[in-house]
Amino acid sequence: MPPAASTLAMLGGEKHIRWQAPAYNPIGQEEAVAVNEVMQSGVLSGFVGASGEKFLGGPKVQDFEAAIAKYYGSRYAISVNSLTSGLICAVGALDVEPGDEIIVSPWTMCASATAIVFWGAIPIFADIELDTFNIDPVAIAAKITPRTKAIMVPSIFGLPAKLEAIVELAHEHGLRVIEDAAQAPGVKLNDKFVGTFGDIGGFSFNYHKHIHCGEGGVCITDSEYLAQRMRLIRNHAEAVVEDKGVTSLGNMVGFNFRLGELEAAIAEQQMHKLDGYVAQRWQQGVKLNRLLGKLPGLHPPALEPDQMHAFYMYGMRIDAEGLQSAGLAVNDFGSLGKIRDLLCEALRGEGVPGVCSRYVNVHMLPMYQKKIAFGTRGYPWQAHENGRAVDYTRGICPQAEVLNEQSYIGLSLCEYAFDDVHIDDIAAAFKKVWKSLDQLRPKP
Ligand SMILES: *Cc1c(COP(=O)(O)O)cnc(C)c1O
């Protein structure tokens, strides 16, 4: 007998989705033309690591920076060869001392925290909100100490963090704010761009982001002082400070974080397409929210009326009560995490692309668990006056931990070029799984 239409594919039923999703690709003819122009000029980089005209890079780098500054309405834009490099510039620019503390989210790409470690400063992880996945201002407030210097705020998955509250808190305590807006380009909160709330905002132009140039990034700021320091760190600071008359030498350790002309030419073209790609993703996310909103025990991304969402990831969570009402009791499985993993397996079985059952708990990475980054003797944590007192044990960020271990389900929208039919099919596959939840129950 053939399996019933409702039989889950993972149990031998028919797969709901049979198409292969096309890969996301924002690169087109405009980029090819721009690259060709640079190729013909023969100037693939205009940078020189010395004071003078070429300290600021070639024409395409400067055009790209001007386009960024104009778009975000910020005074300065500093391009870099990745946002990882950009965040290193940003933290170094703040005059941090080794042992200073910077508060950061555990639910972010590891580079948000590594940029802090890099200067010998200490990442202090503040927990996230269950429904937005963003760092919680209340948790931040509880982590502020006399050693706190700054707050590093990702707007993760493309949803604005509680930026107004965080900036206000920072001002009360005399702290700086760096916004890691890698996943939220072109996104507004109350009519103001994410990335422009803090002292410095950073955007990634890495291959996996909404728009990209292969590898690249950019930082924005309204502060001339911070802009100059970021430019110095980007381009061999120690060799340039004398000529530039720079006398405050703290963190004037330089690198080659410069963006090439080819990448800058691509990145500038990509900027023209940003709004279109973000709007497209917004439509898909909102549609998914509408289609998935009524499935018991499933919470789609939280949306507020005054904010956009770039849907870099479509992050959801499940809850035990809702699932129990639909017939799945945690007790029968041992943990909510087991149910989550089964649901992900069932969704993948139906052919849903990009299903993720984890994101990240940065504080649980071995570098933090063992407190070893530079050499083998525990630096930079050893340099901290409180030494080993900094706590990274499991339990410091309970919401982030429970999401990763038990209840998070993500759809990696950034990887695919979905159309409306794909989104309908994905939602239908979710509905099939939710109609067939009883099939997931352990056999007695
Ligand atoms: C991608 C990303 C980065 C790093 O950007 P790169 O350009 O790849 O170095 C930093 N933070 C977050 C939140 C990111 O998603």
Side-chain angles (χ1 to χ4, degrees), residues 154-236:
S155 283
I156 213 68
F157 298 165
L159 181 72
K162 299 255 168 3
L163 290 162
E164 288 147 334
I166 292 169
V167 166
E168 194 182 313
L169 182 68
H171 286 168
E172 276 167 29
H173 293 269
L175 308 177
R176 301 283 209 161
V177 174
I178 298 175
E179 279 190 69
D180 178 348
Q183 300 181 5
V187 168
K188 284 181 174 173
L189 166 65
N190 277 331
D191 234 23
K192 187 171 157 64
F193 278 118
V194 169
T196 64
F197 287 82
D199 298 279
I200 298 173
F203 302 92
S204 169
F205 281 73
N206 166 280
Y207 180 61
H208 303 284
K209 301 296 165 30
H210 289 75
I211 55 169
H212 74 86
C213 60
E215 303 286 353
V218 67
C219 289
I220 55 174
T221 184
D222 283 338
S223 156
E224 186 181 348
Y225 177 79
L226 295 177
Q228 191 198 36
R229 287 175 64 82
M230 287 194 279
R231 287 175 182 145
L232 282 158
I233 295 169
R234 168 177 75 176
N235 193 3
H236 302 291

Side-chain angles (χ1 to χ4, degrees), residues 237-427:
E238 71 281 3
V240 186
V241 283
E242 238 173 352
D243 276 0
K244 287 252 178 221
V246 174
T247 50
S248 74
L249 294 181
N251 297 339
M252 286 293 97
V253 180
F255 300 89
N256 177 348
F257 288 157
R258 308 173 313 206
L259 192 65
E261 289 288 283
L262 290 167
E263 289 78 7
I266 297 170
E268 190 194 348
Q269 292 304 316
Q270 288 278 281
M271 277 308 290
H272 300 310
K273 304 182 180 179
L274 176 60
D275 287 343
Y277 281 117
V278 171
Q280 204 173 50
R281 205 73 71 77
W282 164 255
Q283 276 163 12
Q284 292 174 355
V286 169
K287 183 166 186 185
L288 270 176
N289 266 27
R290 181 162 48 75
L291 295 173
L292 302 182
K294 295 204 177 73
L295 299 181
L298 184 73
H299 298 254
L303 294 179
E304 303 283 340
D306 55 358
Q307 57 183 209
M308 290 165 60
H309 194 318
F311 292 109
Y312 175 76
M313 288 285 286
Y314 186 85
M316 297 163 277
R317 72 178 173 90
I318 53 170
D319 82 80
E321 296 78 51
L323 286 168
Q324 171 124 28
S325 76
L328 289 190
V330 170
N331 274 344
D332 296 339
F333 292 83
S335 71
L336 187 60
K338 288 245 171 65
I339 300 181
R340 184 263 312 266
D341 292 347
L342 270 175
L343 286 170
C344 288
E345 197 186 327
L347 290 165
R348 286 188 199 109
E350 297 305 328
V352 177
V355 175
C356 313
S357 58
R358 305 276 190 288
Y359 188 57
V360 64
N361 277 187
V362 178
H363 64 296
M364 296 305 291
L365 297 176
M367 179 165 85
Y368 299 102
Q369 289 303 304
K370 303 208 181 302
K371 291 189 192 163
I372 297 174
F374 300 113
T376 56
R377 294 191 210 120
Y379 284 90
W381 291 276
Q382 284 289 5
H384 191 271
E385 275 154 28
N386 301 323
R388 300 203 165 265
V390 181
D391 187 8
Y392 294 138
T393 50
R394 192 176 163 283
I396 58 168
C397 295
Q399 310 261 61
E401 290 160 16
V402 81
L403 281 166
N404 228 32
E405 293 165 15
Q406 310 282 352
S407 57
Y408 173 73
I409 297 178
L411 277 185
S412 188
L413 295 189
C414 58
E415 288 179 59
Y416 305 100
F418 290 131
D419 61 23
D420 252 16
V421 176
H422 294 132
I423 296 292
D424 283 334
D425 279 349
I426 289 170

Side-chain angles (χ1 to χ4, degrees), residues 16-34:
H16 185 80
I17 291 175
R18 265 162 290 167
W19 40 259
Q20 288 285 323
Y24 180 68
N25 177 16
I27 303 293
Q29 194 54 35
E30 297 78 6
E31 287 76 13
V33 170

Side-chain angles (χ1 to χ4, degrees), residues 25-83:
N25 177 16
I27 303 293
Q29 194 54 35
E30 297 78 6
E31 287 76 13
V33 170
V35 162
N36 245 324
E37 202 183 294
V38 176
M39 292 298 281
Q40 272 156 24
S41 78
V43 181
L44 304 194
S45 174
F47 273 108
V48 171
S51 167
E53 226 173 274
K54 296 192 165 170
F55 176 69
L56 295 179
K60 291 294 178 192
V61 158
Q62 296 196 23
D63 285 355
F64 169 53
E65 291 179 346
I68 289 280
K70 179 157 181 248
Y71 181 87
Y72 286 106
S74 62
R75 283 177 69 196
Y76 305 98
I78 297 90
S79 63
V80 269
N81 59 1
S82 73
L83 184 62

